[in-house]
Amino acid sequence: VQLQASGGGLVQPGGSLRLSCAASGFTLDNYAIAWFRQAPGKERERVSCIRNSDGTTYYEDSVKGRFTISRDNTENTVYLQMNSLKPEDTAVYYCAADRACYIGARFYDYWGQGTQVTVSS
């Protein structure tokens, strides 16, 4: 069971990135998939999550209206489209899988390796 996160990079404020979380060894649509981020010196926080049962999505307040989570079951991949990026979005972004959209990172059993997002001019 593996998750592979990719798509990070350096972008100017106001720019966009799309992160991908690809699964191997299991079917993503059997799991809720969350995106977390962790900035230096800060705790890992959940940014967004999509439920497997009905596709309900959740967003942390600071990213609502800017980030969109989606899943492509044919590609076994979940995406996080990030628009209007701000310097405070700078962090390592991780995808995680479990049976439900838990808020706390400690509840997730499966993790991708992380991808760096840096928003800077």
Side-chain angles (χ1 to χ4, degrees):
V1 173
Q2 282 192 322
L3 293 172
Q4 180 78 28
S6 62
L10 172 64
V11 64
Q12 292 187 342
S16 298
L17 285 173
R18 189 178 77 158
L19 306 184
S20 299
C21 178
S24 59
F26 69 104
T27 303
L28 267 185
D29 64 359
N30 290 332
Y31 291 83
I33 306 298
W35 283 98
F36 283 78
R37 66 186 179 188
Q38 188 166 20
K42 295 189 176 182
E43 292 189 358
R44 194 170 294 191
E45 65 170 354
R46 195 187 75 176
V47 173
S48 184
C49 189
I50 185 166
R51 295 202 318 198
N52 57 306
S53 57
D54 58 6
T56 299
T57 57
Y58 302 90
Y59 297 95
E60 193 262 333
D61 285 346
S62 68
V63 308
K64 284 180 181 176
R66 300 189 298 121
F67 290 11
T68 304
I69 191 170
S70 62
R71 65 196 310 155
D72 184 337
N73 292 334
T74 63
E75 297 291 332
N76 213 27
T77 300
V78 169
Y79 301 99
L80 185 69
Q81 178 67 44
M82 305 187 297
N83 298 328
S84 302
L85 283 162
K86 304 176 181 180
E88 51 263 43
D89 295 318
T90 295
V92 178
Y93 284 70
Y94 301 87
C95 58
D98 213 284
R99 297 297 181 180
C101 278
Y102 304 112
I103 294 176
R106 66 188 183 278
F107 296 111
Y108 289 79
D109 287 337
Y110 306 111
W111 289 86
Q113 83 287 5
T115 184
Q116 176 71 46
V117 172
T118 302
V119 185
S120 175
S121 56

